[in-house]
DNA sequence: AAAAACTGACGGAATATTCCGTCAGTTTTT
DNA sequence: AAAAACTGACGGAATATTCCGTCAGTTTTT
């Protein structure tokens, strides 16, 4: 419980103030917890960041894959999953910003990334199936997934930045754009 | 001269170690400059980051728009400019990572972003022309530009990460994907 | 030779981290 | 079943450590 409080507090502060200007004492205060307690659960500020990342990716994937069954056409599955990703981030702007800001941070090792990403590998199965049916441009499943993700990722960034209203029509168009970019003409 | 040395040193250290773990003394050492000298040119670490950003975007845009003349088809202009963007980043991985890592940082204010982005507005003219000819999906020029940029941005991230070999064929395909995502079917 | 630029040792403020007493809850003893 | 002993999470004061930013002395430029 306290551990989660600390993670949430850290996430909020890191996103709004930037890693370097957040002190452990601030995190403790925001989490309504003693400073010592922070050290009971974490070794350092970097450790907190790493654990937020893992926790975060885990929450994301639960949301995305909840009730997911790979039925229907590839396109339907594609839309189902990516729409979930989009909605998750739009509903959790703080978490999104954290995700964006730290994705390329040197604090997160390759090991942490792999650990955190393992739940997202289901995406690759989808792309594999699409490739077999010659729906996609000739890249590996992994690369197609990364491509779609980075597209969506950047798009959400400015959608939040410009406080765009994201109704169903907009999201549908966006999924169409993502699809068009990887599918064969 | 020393100012530029400091900016380059800061960029390198921030990217490889992360903002919070880089000290002014480290930057001074890397730049082969006294600590006091850093304070002669900059007020703080945050100030250094902001000035790196501005400097960086300025170098990028010089590279991208060098010898650019809006001739030929929209598609040709599109390819010309975005290929330049891609090549710039591929040739400057450190600069790319800096750009990626700090794009969403709370250190960079809206003012800094606007200042740094003003040289890239030429892109919007291109998109405006394309919109007039009904080549693109019905979004604003600004949004189409941001969309393409985020696509390319994310793509370069994993290209560098996976140490992909980026020959002309790959770049051509990639430009095709970016084009496909915004053009009308 | 005067002014400007530079250097890096140093003091002290800021911050991280440790350490220990407290106390609510649990287990053992009587 | 009451009392005593035990446990370990917790908080925050104390301490260790880092890091900033200044400034006296030095070098370079004009």
């Amino acid at each position: 419980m306290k551990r989660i409080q600390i993670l949430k507090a850290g996430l909020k502060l890191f996103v709004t103030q930037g890693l370097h200007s957040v002190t452990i004492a601030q995190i403790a205060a925001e989490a309504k917890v003693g400073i010592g307690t922070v050290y009971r659960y974490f070794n350092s500020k970097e450790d907190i960041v790493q654990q937020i990342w893992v926790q975060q990716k885990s929450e994301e994937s639960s949301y995305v894959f909840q009730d997911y069954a790979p039925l229907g056409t590839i396109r339907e599955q594609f839309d189902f999953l990516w729409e979930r990703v989009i909605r998750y981030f739009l509903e959790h702007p703080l978490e999104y910003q954290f995700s964006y800001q730290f994705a390329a941070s040197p604090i997160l090792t390759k090991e942490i990334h792999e650990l955190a990403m393992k739940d997202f590998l289901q995406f690759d199965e989808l792309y594999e199936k699409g490739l077999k049916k010659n729906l996609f441009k000739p890249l590996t499943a992994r690369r197609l997934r990364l491509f779609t993700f980075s597209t969506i990722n950047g798009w959400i960034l400015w959608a939040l930045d410009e406080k765009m209203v994201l109704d169903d029509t907009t999201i549908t168009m966006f999924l169409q754009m993502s699809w068009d970019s990887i599918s064969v003409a």
Side-chain angles (χ1 to χ4, degrees), chain A:
Chain A
M1 192 60 216
K2 303 240 167 187
R3 182 172 171 279
I4 297 292
Q5 275 168 247
I6 296 166
L7 291 175
K8 296 291 176 204
L11 188 145
K12 181 177 169 187
L13 292 174
F14 291 146
V15 166
T16 52
Q17 298 186 33
L19 182 60
H20 75 294
S21 75
V22 175
T23 67
I24 301 281
Q26 266 186 293
I27 295 174
E30 175 77 27
K32 295 192 205 305
V33 139
I35 291 170
T37 308
V38 174
Y39 282 94
R40 166 157 287 276
Y41 291 101
F42 306 96
N43 296 323
S44 63
K45 219 153 84 173
E46 305 209 347
D47 189 30
I48 297 175
V49 171
Q50 294 181 335
Q51 296 201 37
I52 294 173
W53 183 267
V54 172
Q55 170 71 19
Q56 204 39 54
K57 290 299 147 189
S58 154
E59 287 186 19
E60 262 172 61
S61 66
S62 317
Y63 182 101
V64 170
F65 292 105
Q66 195 186 0
D67 310 320
Y68 170 66
L71 303 172
T73 65
I74 302 288
R75 178 63 193 276
E76 280 162 2
Q77 293 169 36
F78 177 95
D79 284 355
F80 179 95
L81 290 180
W82 288 113
E83 181 171 347
R84 282 279 179 82
V85 171
I86 293 169
R87 291 203 184 279
Y88 179 82
F89 282 136
L90 293 178
E91 285 164 18
H92 301 83
L94 230 47
E95 284 75 5
Y96 171 73
Q97 279 187 266
F98 180 85
S99 185
Y100 191 95
Q101 264 185 61
F102 288 90
S105 162
I107 292 175
L108 299 175
T109 62
K110 247 190 157 52
E111 289 70 42
I112 298 275
H113 277 298
E114 267 170 35
L115 174 67
M117 272 301 143
K118 68 176 194 308
D119 293 329
F120 288 92
L121 292 179
Q122 284 184 69
F123 267 107
D124 288 8
E125 293 164 30
L126 171 61
Y127 284 100
E128 289 292 0
K129 283 188 288 181
L131 280 168
K132 282 219 184 76
K133 295 188 181 178
N134 290 316
L135 293 171
F136 299 140
K137 293 192 171 84
L139 290 163
T140 62
R142 178 183 157 79
R143 284 175 181 181
L144 289 170
R145 161 171 61 83
L146 287 167
F147 186 87
T148 310
F149 181 70
S150 65
T151 306
I152 286 182
N153 203 33
W155 180 72
I156 294 170
L157 179 67
W158 55 265
L160 290 174
D161 191 53
E162 302 204 331
K163 293 174 183 60
M164 253 182 100
V165 181
L166 289 157
D167 50 18
D168 289 359
T169 317
T170 312
I171 291 177
T172 301
M173 175 165 71
F174 185 71
L175 288 169
Q176 184 66 47
M177 291 170 84
S178 299
W179 178 267
D180 285 349
S181 71
I182 59 166
S183 72
V184 288

